[in-house]
Amino acid sequence: MTDSLDRQRRRFMGATALGVAVAGLGTASAAPLPPSASDQKKTASRTGATSFARMKSVKAGVLEIGYAEDGPAGGPPVVLLHGWPYDIHSYVDVAPLLAAKGYRVIVPYLRGYGSTRFLSPDTPRNGQQSALAADVIALMDALKIDKAIVAGYDWGARTANIVAALWPERCKAMVSVSGYLIGSQALNRNPLPPKAELLWWYQFYFTTERGQAGYAKYTHDFARLIWEQASPKWQFDDATFQRSASAFDNPDHVAIAIDNYRWRLGLAPGERKYDDMEARLAKLPDIAVPTITMEGDANGAPHPDPATYAKRFTGRYEHRLISGGTGHNLPQEAPEAFAKAIVDVDRF
């Protein structure tokens, strides 16, 4: 990327501070503690985890969903949702932090990732936003979870937004990186300023047959490039990337990723059974459940300004900016800050 393009991308980044130590997480029953000035200057550490306590699977809706689980079975449930092109290892440090505080942590592979599989070869490999949210509700039903805190970033944040908006009775609270991400095909017809469109280069690439073939041929290389652009200051190593990259070898990964971006632009039809949901989402419904939104100070991926979405959250609400060069994959880059947000929103 040229220096001029890099400067254009960085104009989209915020700059404020919030970092926390493990001791600052508190407990599920403790009174909320605002971040101190010293906390805001700290850089989040890592637990050093490379795997999860338990890996499981369950039939849920049209899928056999593979998921990681940590913490006591009777603890308050938390569902953590990953984005593209990432996987459940975005939460490999967050999960044990929350489990240590008594939470039951569920981290599913989205459709098209890891060990999650479609039950039937005839099911459309549909990546539209409402389908992913319906998967979460199906998972909660299969695990007999009546209500959970939902949290995510990227595709996972959009999915959490939809669960909170359409099924508020199933959502105790929410943590959402980059805020309010619900969209619609009609809204996506509106052109953006050129600098903003530039950040979506891969979406336009995916609209072409060349783009689909290129993503299929170079999936791992493509994902690594996105990681580097979306988190320019995150110094991840090869082992960290490879742990997530194996999830992209799912036989439906390319189809789901391509369909997701084509659907956004109205180039893929979606499924009729989701039409009513999409009609509700197209109205950009408010979210009333308690919410904390977050952003990193070095997020190189497309993301909205917090001022543009704050009014969408009508319940108790707080926004946090995370310093220290934190990029798009905020849970993996700043796990303590992310875990603290979940504990804090639970107390709202």
Side-chain angles (χ1 to χ4, degrees):
M1 179 176 288
T2 67
D3 288 343
S4 62
L5 291 183
D6 188 60
R7 286 195 297 272
Q8 291 170 4
R9 173 171 52 76
R10 290 173 185 270
R11 291 193 184 103
F12 286 86
M13 302 175 185
T16 230
L18 174 68
V20 294
V22 176
L25 289 175
T27 65
S29 61
L33 296 175
S36 67
S38 59
D39 284 338
Q40 293 176 348
K41 295 179 182 178
K42 294 176 183 176
T43 300
S45 62
R46 305 292 184 269
T47 68
T50 59
S51 61
F52 292 90
R54 297 180 295 280
M55 292 301 304
K56 298 182 177 183
S57 68
V58 65
K59 290 183 179 179
V62 299
L63 301 171
E64 176 90 20
I65 297 180
Y67 66 97
E69 182 168 350
D70 203 347
V78 178
V79 179
L80 304 177
L81 303 168
H82 69 81
W84 171 89
Y86 305 91
D87 85 321
I88 63 173
H89 287 86
S90 293
Y91 298 104
V92 75
D93 290 305
V94 173
L97 293 173
L98 293 175
K101 300 302 174 184
Y103 290 93
R104 180 188 182 188
V105 185
I106 306 294
V107 193
Y109 282 111
L110 301 184
R111 54 171 60 193
Y113 293 81
S115 56
T116 291
R117 296 290 189 275
F118 285 90
L119 297 175
S120 169
D122 299 325
T123 302
R125 274 34 179 180
N126 175 8
Q128 76 183 102
Q129 61 178 358
S130 54
L132 272 66
D135 292 344
V136 174
I137 295 299
L139 174 63
M140 291 174 62
D141 288 344
L143 298 180
K144 296 179 169 52
I145 295 174
D146 180 62
K147 181 177 284 192
I149 298 170
V150 293
Y153 69 100
D154 195 83
W155 288 19
R158 178 175 296 105
T159 304
N161 287 180
I162 295 170
V163 170
L166 298 187
W167 292 277
E169 72 282 0
R170 308 296 298 274
C171 183
K172 182 179 181 182
M174 180 177 69
V175 173
S176 177
V177 177
S178 298
Y180 189 96
L181 297 177
I182 296 173
S184 72
Q185 290 177 324
L187 186 66
N188 288 335
R189 293 190 190 105
N190 297 324
L192 300 173
K195 291 178 183 177
E197 295 282 24
L198 178 64
L199 298 179
W200 287 105
W201 66 270
Y202 51 88
Q203 178 171 253
F204 301 112
Y205 181 63
F206 286 167
T207 66
T208 68
E209 292 308 304
R210 177 188 175 95
Q212 181 170 355
Y215 189 56
K217 184 175 182 179
Y218 300 109
T219 308
H220 289 201
D221 292 339
F222 199 104
R224 185 157 193 147
L225 174 62
I226 296 296
W227 281 35
E228 292 168 349
Q229 290 188 330
S231 299
K233 295 186 178 182
W234 182 28
Q235 300 301 310
F236 60 88
D237 58 21
D238 289 343
T240 297
F241 176 74
Q242 290 302 327
R243 278 191 289 273
S244 290
S246 63
F248 314 145
D249 297 332
N250 181 296
D252 299 308
H253 176 76
V254 172
I256 294 296
I258 296 298
D259 188 80
N260 178 281
Y261 288 102
R262 289 184 178 180
W263 179 87
R264 297 189 199 191
L265 296 179
L267 302 177
E271 292 181 75
R272 293 296 300 273
K273 67 180 180 179
Y274 298 118
D275 284 354
D276 289 344
M277 290 173 58
E278 293 296 349
R280 295 172 62 188
L281 295 172
K283 297 178 182 178
L284 303 182
D286 291 339
I287 294 175
V289 304
T291 297
I292 292 176
T293 59
M294 309 182 76
E295 194 59 82
D297 67 340
N299 185 359
H303 60 279
D305 187 312
T308 65
Y309 57 69
K311 65 181 180 181
R312 296 291 178 188
F313 300 100
T314 59
R316 185 167 178 186
Y317 171 70
E318 180 183 328
H319 179 74
R320 298 179 179 181
L321 280 160
I322 309 304
S323 67
T326 302
H328 190 58
N329 185 3
L330 194 152
Q332 197 163 3
E333 297 177 60
E336 282 80 7
F338 194 86
K340 187 179 192 307
I342 290 172
V343 173
D344 289 348
V345 82
D346 188 23
R347 301 161 174 160
F348 275 11

